Amino acid sequence: MDRFLKISSARPQLLFTFKINGKWLFFSSPQPLNPDENLSLIATNHHMCFRIRTGSCGINAPIRGLLSTENVWLKDGYKGLKAMVYNPSTGQSITLPKVRTRRDEARTYLGYDPINKQVKVLWISLCSWLRKAEEHQVLTLGVRNLSWRKIECSLPHYPISAGICINGVLYYIADQNRTTPRPRFPKPYTVVCFDVLSEKFTFINQALDNKVEWSSTLINYTGKLGVLRHDYFDRNTTNLELWVLDDIEKHKWLIKIHVFPPLWRKLVPYTRLNIVGMTDNGEFVFSTALLRDPFYIFYYNVEKNTIVRVEIQGIGPVSRQEIYTFIDHAEDIKRI
């Protein structure tokens, strides 16, 4: 199984998922290694559907072939709500044990410990009224008896972004101002660093200035944390502004600004694009936020200053559902 995962990682997949009729639908296709300037067509493979638990929304980026639900609401009568973990390659899904908590909302993250080769789920119980995280618990997947264990966090904060795991560290952006509602304007935030091996939290304060918004997207920028100023793009966007965590110990950041070529405006349709990652070849990948026909992803090569549009065929049914696109997905045939 480890050999299969290693081979699969060398031939990564594009993974697409969206919700319809109470289910998650998953599709995958080979990930182009060197997309050229011609329009490419990719037929997708349809994986099994998975049911959606009431009160949950969003899905975390895959870790070692696994995905999990991202946001969980425990109010409005959903008292038995539990987080889910999915493996599209095997068609297996599991319901995680119920978490004991007094709060009405939670956020979950997936992280990977490369030393012990373990995937862990981080559960954060939230007080939405005070915008405060009050309980932190961890569950290790792949063990015989799945159970949550409480861990300590020294700094009060409120998670406001999706997470990304890079080299054994799970990153997400958080708000430390617990007494105000969601800000209308940008302000400084903290970057939370969760070491998946030690299960300890550290924080990068005074890191992101007022230019970084609460909804910023995190990406893996050649093995380092990259924080984008905006979470979406469109045909009128002229550049890509990125903060790169160059030195995690010294909290040193580099600012990179890339100006799109004129072809960007010609190829990008009148719709919202999400940035979904960066390839090993240094190409930024964008995907339309809503499923439509035709459905495109875009490759932006910084060195060549080129834009390549790739049409993805075979995904459906199409009715403008919100779609999640992931790059570098590796199939894992190991059961959860």
Side-chain angles (χ1 to χ4, degrees):
M1 292 183 180
D2 290 338
R3 177 178 172 81
F4 180 89
L5 181 61
K6 185 177 181 179
I7 295 174
S8 178
S9 300
R11 298 195 298 263
Q13 301 267 317
L14 295 169
L15 184 67
F16 310 93
T17 182
F18 58 90
K19 293 187 291 186
I20 189 171
N21 298 328
K23 295 181 180 179
W24 283 107
L25 271 65
F26 289 89
F27 296 81
S28 66
S29 65
Q31 182 170 308
L33 298 180
N34 295 292
D36 56 27
E37 297 181 0
N38 298 319
L39 182 66
S40 302
L41 304 177
I42 301 177
T44 60
N45 299 316
H46 177 227
H47 293 281
M48 294 182 65
C49 305
F50 298 96
R51 63 189 177 94
I52 300 171
R53 279 191 169 270
T54 305
S56 66
C57 76
I59 197 161
N60 285 303
I63 296 286
R64 307 280 288 186
L66 303 178
L67 302 94
S68 73
T69 48
E70 183 182 50
N71 296 304
V72 179
W73 280 268
L74 307 177
K75 55 186 176 181
D76 300 329
Y78 305 141
K79 298 187 182 301
L81 186 64
K82 303 173 184 178
M84 300 286 294
V85 174
Y86 309 100
N87 186 337
S89 301
T90 62
Q92 183 190 12
S93 66
I94 62 171
T95 303
L96 299 184
K98 183 178 179 180
V99 175
R100 296 181 179 272
T101 178
R102 300 170 297 169
R103 296 306 171 195
D104 58 4
E105 185 179 350
R107 182 184 282 269
T108 61
Y109 293 101
L110 276 182
Y112 178 66
D113 167 16
I115 305 299
N116 297 319
K117 297 183 178 181
Q118 292 178 324
V119 177
K120 297 181 180 180
V121 183
L122 172 64
W123 173 289
I124 305 177
S125 298
L126 305 175
C127 178
S128 55
W129 178 60
L130 293 176
R131 290 182 60 80
K132 177 182 178 183
E134 292 193 341
E135 299 166 338
H136 302 76
Q137 302 184 54
V138 173
L139 177 146
T140 302
L141 296 174
V143 298
R144 178 166 298 182
N145 296 314
L146 296 178
S147 62
W148 296 99
R149 53 187 180 275
K150 291 186 177 181
I151 59 175
E152 297 297 325
C153 181
S154 61
L155 182 67
H157 66 279
Y158 189 85
I160 57 174
S161 80
I164 187 170
C165 189
I166 304 172
N167 300 327
V169 179
L170 171 66
Y171 299 95
Y172 58 90
I173 297 177
D175 182 6
Q176 293 188 67
N177 190 345
R178 298 166 293 159
T179 59
T180 60
R182 177 186 297 177
R184 292 179 57 195
F185 303 103
K187 71 174 204 176
Y189 295 108
T190 185
V191 174
V192 181
C193 312
F194 176 72
D195 186 280
V196 183
L197 172 61
S198 66
E199 300 178 0
K200 301 295 184 182
F201 290 90
T202 56
F203 301 87
I204 302 177
N205 297 315
Q206 301 175 354
L208 306 176
D209 71 2
N210 290 330
K211 293 183 178 181
V212 177
E213 301 177 357
W214 66 272
S215 57
S216 297
T217 302
L218 310 184
I219 66 170
N220 186 336
Y221 184 87
T222 63
K224 298 179 180 180
L225 174 66
V227 182
L228 288 123
R229 178 178 177 182
H230 302 294
D231 67 334
Y232 73 91
F233 299 78
D234 57 30
R235 72 192 313 264
N236 294 318
T237 308
T238 58
N239 63 69
L240 183 155
E241 184 175 333
L242 182 73
W243 290 62
V244 178
L245 184 58
D246 189 55
D247 191 320
I248 189 174
E249 300 295 334
K250 298 180 180 179
H251 298 186
K252 179 182 177 182
W253 294 82
L254 297 177
I255 302 178
K256 297 180 178 292
I257 300 177
H258 303 288
V259 178
F260 294 138
L263 188 60
W264 170 271
R265 186 173 178 84
K266 295 180 180 180
L267 288 183
V268 172
Y270 288 96
T271 187
R272 167 176 170 164
L273 297 183
N274 294 329
I275 190 165
V276 298
M278 184 178 186
T279 68
D280 292 338
N281 295 331
E283 296 167 318
F284 292 98
V285 185
F286 300 82
S287 168
T288 53
L290 298 179
L291 182 57
R292 50 193 294 163
D293 190 13
F295 174 64
Y296 296 112
I297 62 174
F298 301 85
Y299 285 80
Y300 169 44
N301 189 306
V302 174
E303 292 186 1
K304 299 179 181 178
N305 198 31
T306 58
I307 303 291
V308 174
R309 185 175 65 182
V310 179
E311 180 179 352
I312 307 297
Q313 295 184 335
I315 297 181
V318 177
S319 59
R320 299 186 64 81
Q321 301 94 339
E322 182 179 8
I323 186 167
Y324 295 81
T325 301
F326 303 107
I327 66 171
D328 296 330
H329 172 61
E331 293 185 304
D332 189 357
I333 58 174
K334 186 185 304 181
R335 294 187 64 82
I336 306 174

